[in-house]
Amino acid sequence: MQALLQLALDFFAPTADPASAFTDENFGQNRPLALIPSTLKAPESGAKQGPGVPVAPTATLFAPTVFRHPQARRELRLGDAIVGYALVRARRRSIGFSVGVEGLSVRAPQAVTLAAIDSALLAKADWIVRKLGETRERNRRQQHAQIVWRDGVQLPYLGQLLGVRLDPAAPVVGRLVALPDALPTLHLGLPLSATPQQMRDTVQAWLGRSARAHFTQRLDHFAPSMGVRWQRLALTNARTRWGSARSDGSIRLNWRLMHFAPEVLDYVVVHELAHLRVMDHSPRFWAEVAAVLPNYAQLRQRLREETAPNWDTD
């Protein structure tokens, strides 16, 4: 039976098969070279530049950017960066990369040598370093956009601000109040003494129901014109992946997308529906997306640059 394929959005690699533990054989072979920064040769002491103008001796060190996964047991230099990556031996046919909040993870077959893995990383060095930098910057922005869970807090909802109020008279599941010329407000049926965790959980449950309704409507809207049929929708809570699709018609979308504007959500929905026709990111795939959303590149960039708030309560 043909294996089901699962693809993430193009800026994150797919999840790999369960893997065995990696031993640290030959881990230290390339570490010293990776840690030696490039050096510009300094002018000799007493050298002159122009008539009678001495040049002070200088030495410039290029400190490389360091990305090190907490479980890294091997590292190498990729361009101007030192990358320590987590390596897992897996039952698979090829080497797979994924970039997340913790850093770079690599999954490789048991028979593939460490040298071959490093060669594969070097071949993808620009992509890897770019994604690591984007993920680090996105995480930094999220930390600055942390939600302080208290009565009257505001958070982005479909690209606009949404107020949240504690209202013991409101339904426990929450009630959205939208009045003309006023900030839309979600009234939570919680006591004024509710804890930040209670507020967070109640808002998340409400936002999850809102996300399911919104995504379902947009999937039904786009699927017929794209000539595809989706079968199931699941909501995810991942921090680094917005959506995925499987060849059996299953769609997974992150409820946190509800922080973004509707047109950005449409890009994610169309992206995943396009995978039901083309299960890769080839030019044919992007042609499918462009046929529905000619401005998909701008929407894709907005998804990369804009930030969903941090939902932690501590």
Side-chain angles (χ1 to χ4, degrees), residues 118-157:
D118 286 351
S119 294
L121 293 175
L122 289 168
K124 295 288 186 180
D126 291 344
W127 182 91
I128 291 170
V129 173
R130 184 174 77 253
K131 297 306 176 186
L132 286 168
E134 290 174 356
T135 302
R136 176 176 288 181
E137 175 60 20
R138 186 181 302 110
N139 188 58
R140 184 193 68 79
R141 293 198 304 266
Q142 285 180 333
Q143 294 304 318
H144 285 285
Q146 183 165 347
I147 302 172
V148 179
W149 292 103
R150 62 190 177 195
D151 185 34
V153 66
Q154 297 179 4
L155 63 153
Y157 173 70

Side-chain angles (χ1 to χ4, degrees), residues 170-309:
V172 175
V173 295
R175 179 179 64 236
L176 181 62
V177 177
L179 300 175
D181 302 322
L183 181 71
T185 304
L186 175 62
H187 289 247
L188 304 180
L190 294 174
L192 298 179
S193 59
T195 66
Q197 185 67 48
Q198 288 175 315
M199 285 193 66
R200 179 195 184 281
D201 292 346
T202 305
V203 173
Q204 181 176 337
W206 180 88
L207 202 59
R209 292 189 295 272
S210 179
R212 181 171 294 279
H214 184 90
F215 293 148
T216 298
Q217 192 275 331
R218 300 314 286 166
L219 287 167
D220 287 341
H221 172 78
F222 287 113
S225 63
M226 297 177 68
V228 297
R229 296 182 63 182
W230 66 280
Q231 300 295 329
R232 287 177 296 278
L233 169 65
L235 299 182
T236 72
N237 191 36
R239 290 180 177 271
T240 59
R241 178 175 295 172
W242 293 124
S244 63
R246 295 178 58 143
S247 59
D248 65 353
S250 299
I251 302 289
R252 294 170 62 85
L253 294 170
N254 196 316
W255 61 264
R256 297 173 190 268
L257 284 164
M258 295 298 288
H259 291 304
F260 298 98
E263 60 269 24
V264 176
L265 272 66
D266 281 352
Y267 161 69
V268 181
V269 169
V270 170
H271 185 120
E272 299 312 330
L273 287 173
H275 275 313
L276 300 185
R277 294 184 64 88
V278 184
M279 298 296 284
D280 57 35
H281 292 110
S282 63
R284 180 169 162 251
F285 167 81
W286 291 112
E288 294 283 346
V289 177
V292 182
L293 296 175
N295 65 332
Y296 79 87
Q298 290 84 358
L299 298 174
R300 179 185 177 197
Q301 190 63 29
R302 285 177 59 183
L303 184 62
R304 290 177 171 178
E305 294 178 351
E306 297 175 10
T307 304

Side-chain angles (χ1 to χ4, degrees), residues 16 19 40 110 223 254:
L40 286 180
Q110 295 285 355
N254 196 316

